[in-house]
Each structure stands twice: as C-alpha cells, then as structure tokens.
Amino acid sequence: MIGFTFLLSLNMGYIRLTPSEVLQTLLGNGTERQELILFDFRLPRMILALLIGAGLAVSGAILQGVSQNSLAEPGIIGINAGAGFAVVAFIFFFQGSATGLGTISIFMLPLFALLGAGLAAFLIYLLAWKNGVTPIRLILVGIGINAAFTAALLLFQLKMNPRDFMQATVWLSGNIWGANWKFVLATLPWMIVLIPLTIFKARVLNVMNLGDQIAVGLGVNVERERRMLLLFAVALAGSSVAVGGGIAFLGLVAPHLARRVVGVKHEAVLPTAALLGALILLAADMIARGLQGSSEIPVGLVVSALGAPYFIYLLIKSN
C-alpha cells in the first residue's frame, strides 16, 4: 500500500507528471526539468513524509504505552509544542529569518527540537511527580504544558517580520517545509537508531501496560524504564517536528489503527504503527498537493481533518 501511494504521489503537484514520464525519469531518460522536479523537489519531500509519519506514530505508541492512556499523543501533551518553541527560538535568535537556512543550521534543527521537546518532557515529569508519576497526572500536566508552550510560541511569532510570521504559522500547523536532501539526511539517522531501539523495548511496554504494581512484581524498574521510553518518544517527536512542524493527531491515530490490525503486543504494534504513520502522512501530503496544486496547504491540516473525527470517536468511546 505504501509503494502504491508512493508511486501515485510522484505524479501529484503543481506540475503534473504522467506515469510514463515518471518512469522514464526514474530510468534516467527524463528531461532536465523532469529530473529537477522529481529528484530535487518531490522525492525528498515524500521521503521526509515517510520518516516523519513513522517517527510521530512510534512516539505516540510509546506515550500511550507509558501513560497507559489511549488518548496520549506528543501533540496533545506538549512535546510537539516544546520542540516547535525551540526551533522557532533558534531561527529567531540565531538565523534572523526562517528562509535560507545553511547546512549547519539544518543539522542543528533536530538538536534544538530535541532540547525543546526534552524541556517539555522534563517539566511534565517534574510537575506530575508525587511519590511517583501516575498516568493520569502525566496526561493532565502535559495538556497544561502544551498550552504554556503554545502561548510562548505566539509571543515569538508576534516579534517576527510578517513573512517569517506567516511561514512560522504555516509550519506550526504541520508543514514539510525542508523539501531537500539535506533535511532528509538530518532526519534519517534519528529514525534509523531510535525506532529499532524502541522496538527492542517492546516487551517492557507490554509489562508496563499491566500496571505499575504488576510490572514491579515482574522485576521491571518502572521509573527507569519510563524515563528511557519517554526519552525515545521525545527524540522521535522532536526530530519529526524539526522538519514537519506541529502535525497533530498522527501519533494518536496510527497506534490505534495498528492495535486494531495486529492486537496489543508492542512487538507488532510498534512496527505496524510506524508503517501506518508513514502511509497516512504520505497520503495526506499527496492530498494537500493535489488540492492546491502546490505545497502551500499544510499537510498537518489534512491530517487533522482526517484525525479529528477519530479523536472525537475515541473520546466518546472512553466516556
């Protein structure tokens, strides 16, 4: 399904390429213009969509397992907002503009996003601590931290020039803004390392879902494992937000769909969620480009339009 969507997405955009033109270009027989469109603009954007979708989906699956709450998601509990705050602050103080980022700055973005997401996670953990961290306190504090970072982001945006303000607004709505191979290379290592590490910890997530007391009885150091898994979730969300902005609901929907497909064991849920997240974001990006004929519609708006009804359904179902 991902392969079919990928091939279909190659044809979509402001300049349409027929399937035969795409095939000829991939085989090295396309025109210089077709090669520019396909290899320099469209392919890196699509690969980023796959990486970001997988990262956010696995991050959401971790948070739902750690918090034992099916409504947990990096966008809802403030991790995405913390990462976005750090990226906007980096651009504001060190770049002066959101356009024309240099190579070093591109590779610095995931690091600053990680710092921002880590700060948000630290504040959530600190404020939620009361003789340990309970899942419900983790979620409630996270919602408050999300509101605080969102307000701080708005303050920075108001100090930007009009052009950067608009670009930051679109990016924070969820927009794959770095559609070139440098952004792919800046994002790829995070996903290659962190997603397998998370899958390696699948058994721990299975035990933690039984409840803290049972997990302790089975020999799991709950607080240490929770902190480590939160670090993985934060790093995945932060590196995704650095190049994809605040894409909401993806980390919520993909793990739920994965559990419906393969059951509740995280050995299957995590890789399935990664694949579904990649598929959803790739399809949403294709729809966004098809509706506008360009990349101006934030892909996050398409994901939200698809994910919000499912979120409402989950709220109703969970009373």
Side-chain angles (χ1 to χ4, degrees):
M1 190 64 179
I2 291 178
F4 173 77
T5 306
F6 192 89
L7 291 174
L8 186 61
S9 184
L10 287 171
N11 303 298
M12 304 297 290
Y14 182 74
I15 299 174
R16 298 294 179 92
L17 298 176
T18 65
S20 62
E21 289 174 335
V22 170
L23 180 60
Q24 289 297 319
T25 305
L26 291 175
L27 294 175
N29 298 320
T31 65
E32 184 176 342
R33 178 170 175 266
Q34 290 168 345
E35 290 179 355
L36 178 67
I37 293 169
L38 202 60
F39 293 116
D40 291 354
F41 295 107
R42 205 158 289 176
L43 273 175
R45 180 185 178 91
M46 291 163 58
I47 293 173
L48 277 175
L50 293 173
L51 295 174
I52 295 166
L56 289 175
V58 173
S59 178
I62 296 171
L63 292 174
Q64 289 172 18
V66 167
S67 67
Q68 300 163 34
N69 190 315
S70 60
L71 299 180
E73 192 259 347
I76 294 173
I77 69 171
I79 292 176
N80 283 1
F85 171 79
V87 170
V88 171
F90 169 74
I91 292 172
F92 183 83
F93 285 114
F94 297 103
Q95 290 296 127
S97 174
T99 57
L101 288 174
T103 301
I104 296 177
S105 296
I106 289 172
F107 284 89
M108 289 293 289
L109 282 178
L111 294 176
F112 272 82
L114 175 60
L115 290 175
L119 175 61
F122 172 76
L123 292 174
I124 293 168
Y125 203 84
L126 179 67
L127 296 175
W129 181 273
K130 188 177 181 181
N131 298 322
V133 176
T134 61
I136 187 64
R137 286 177 64 86
L138 201 68
I139 296 297
L140 292 176
V141 171
I143 292 172
I145 293 296
N146 183 42
F149 273 110
T150 301
L153 270 168
L154 182 60
L155 289 177
F156 271 109
Q157 286 180 264
L158 292 175
K159 292 180 178 294
M160 291 179 169
N161 62 58
R163 181 180 179 183
D164 285 344
F165 175 86
M166 289 302 299
Q167 185 164 348
T169 300
V170 171
W171 174 71
L172 291 169
S173 299
N175 186 46
I176 304 172
W177 65 306
N180 64 58
W181 293 108
K182 291 179 182 178
F183 282 89
V184 173
L185 292 175
T187 308
L188 185 62
W190 296 82
M191 304 303 166
I192 289 177
V193 172
L194 292 171
I195 291 178
L197 281 176
T198 302
I199 295 173
F200 179 74
K201 286 288 184 179
R203 188 190 67 85
V204 175
L205 278 171
N206 290 337
V207 176
M208 291 179 71
N209 272 348
L210 299 175
D212 288 0
Q213 291 183 344
I214 296 177
V216 171
L218 292 173
V220 174
N221 188 329
V222 172
E223 290 303 326
R224 185 187 68 189
E225 296 293 347
R226 182 176 282 142
R227 286 192 294 267
M228 184 178 296
L229 288 165
L230 281 174
L231 178 61
F232 291 166
V234 164
L236 284 167
S239 56
S240 299
V241 170
V243 291
I247 299 173
F249 295 116
L250 184 59
L252 175 74
V253 173
H256 275 275
L257 294 176
R259 283 192 288 271
R260 287 180 177 272
V261 174
V262 298
V264 297
K265 290 188 176 181
H266 284 86
E267 290 91 343
V269 168
L270 291 171
T272 304
L275 292 174
L276 287 172
L279 174 62
I280 291 170
L281 192 59
L282 180 63
D285 180 59
M286 181 181 68
I287 293 170
R289 285 186 283 123
L291 288 175
Q292 181 71 15
S294 70
S295 59
E296 292 182 4
I297 293 180
V299 66
L301 297 183
V302 179
V303 174
S304 295
L306 298 174
Y310 192 71
F311 179 66
I312 295 171
Y313 163 74
L314 288 176
L315 286 173
I316 295 173
K317 186 179 179 182
S318 63
N319 295 320

